[in-house]
Amino acid sequence: MQRYRTFTRDEVKVIFVLGGPGVGKGTQCTHLAQDYGFSHLCAGDLLREEQARPGSEFGELISTCIREGKIVPQEITIALLKNAMKDEVAKGRTKFLIDGFPRKMDQAIKFEEEIAVSEFTLYFECSEEVMLQRLMKRSETSGRADDNIESIRKRFKTFIDTSMPVIDYYRGMNKIVTIPCEKTKEEVYDLLVVKIKDRLTL
Ligand code: C5P
Ligand code: MG
């Protein structure tokens, strides 16, 4: 039988994780991965690794996009995710949290056409004011080239213009699970676990 996608829905369970910059996607995914055995793949981390890889032909492009808060061309991000997923599946892992993806409609369409169909998308919802506070705190230690006020403003704008349409698209398919994220990380986590268990056997 011909294979249309890299992985079938029986082989892998994919949860996308979206939300504005600084909302706490990484923190919550790390926690979930520890407690429930998810593989946590962060699109931004994969891009930063590729950017830093000696000899990468995409290093400069990725670095510019990240600083400017722009979305890296989907081919690059999807190839990185596909390789990372294959490595995890080879180790017997089947449950994925894909953090910070899909940030743009073309990423959503291409990934689901070629790699795997998602179960649903977690949308971490939060005011810009709270996200800004969290990012400014993170900037004291993160060393990230985009944790500065100019880049943060651009990232907020890209989130509204480019990523919200992805959330609207999945909402129309009843595939959005919204998590309010203004409370403490412990309170957010407890709610997150309850909401995931409504949709998936953990
Ligand atoms: O998710 P994170 O904040 O780590 O992403 C950092 C940057 O990586 C984004 O602002 C964007 O430039 C790039 N990125 C992307 N496509 C994704 C995820 C991240 O272009 N799906
Ligand atoms: Mg992150």
Side-chain angles (χ1 to χ4, degrees):
M1 199 176 72
Q2 195 187 340
R3 255 181 185 270
Y4 292 99
R5 298 186 178 85
T6 312
F7 306 107
T8 67
R9 232 170 144 177
D10 289 331
E11 289 167 333
V12 297
K13 296 278 176 265
V14 170
I15 301 176
F16 292 143
V17 183
L18 288 177
V23 73
K25 301 183 290 296
T27 305
Q28 297 295 340
C29 286
T30 302
H31 199 165
L32 270 180
Q34 272 166 5
D35 287 356
Y36 295 101
F38 284 97
S39 285
H40 171 207
L41 297 180
C42 171
D45 285 349
L46 291 171
L47 287 165
R48 280 182 286 272
E49 272 169 37
E50 175 62 20
Q51 179 213 310
R53 188 174 63 82
S56 167
E57 56 179 312
F58 305 119
E60 211 158 308
L61 172 63
I62 294 172
S63 152
T64 309
C65 286
I66 287 181
R67 210 176 39 247
E68 293 300 316
K70 292 201 178 116
I71 305 299
V72 174
Q74 51 86 9
E75 296 82 355
I76 299 174
T77 314
I78 287 180
L80 293 171
L81 278 173
K82 181 176 170 178
N83 289 338
M85 284 180 74
K86 281 185 166 175
D87 289 348
E88 292 296 294
V89 168
K91 290 187 249 167
R93 315 297 294 275
T94 57
K95 293 190 296 185
F96 288 89
L97 290 168
I98 307 207
D99 164 2
F101 184 93
R103 287 276 239 287
K104 188 173 174 181
M105 272 312 294
D106 65 351
Q107 296 184 347
I109 301 290
K110 202 74 175 172
F111 184 95
E112 295 209 310
E113 250 172 34
E114 294 188 359
I115 316 288
V117 174
S118 64
E119 300 301 308
F120 55 88
T121 296
L122 292 169
Y123 168 38
F124 287 5
E125 194 174 41
C126 191
S127 68
E128 281 192 8
E129 196 186 341
V130 171
M131 291 192 287
L132 180 61
Q133 282 168 13
R134 290 180 185 168
L135 285 168
M136 292 322 283
K137 180 92 192 118
R138 183 172 83 180
S139 72
E140 293 166 11
T141 53
S142 73
R144 277 180 53 158
D146 58 351
D147 281 349
N148 59 76
I149 193 69
E150 295 80 32
S151 296
I152 289 168
R153 294 274 170 232
K154 292 175 186 170
R155 290 157 71 200
F156 281 157
K157 179 162 172 28
T158 299
F159 180 71
I160 299 291
D161 294 348
T162 312
S163 305
M164 277 313 287
V166 177
I167 291 159
D168 292 339
Y169 168 73
Y170 285 123
R171 189 177 280 123
M173 296 167 71
N174 198 21
K175 285 177 86 168
I176 287 289
V177 174
T178 301
I179 313 291
C181 285
E182 304 216 343
K183 294 193 176 160
T184 65
K185 58 183 172 220
E186 292 78 15
E187 286 170 295
V188 171
Y189 184 71
D190 289 344
L191 180 65
L192 176 59
V193 169
V194 169
K195 289 224 179 184
I196 291 186
K197 283 182 172 169
D198 278 347
R199 300 283 292 231
L200 198 77
T201 314
L202 287 178

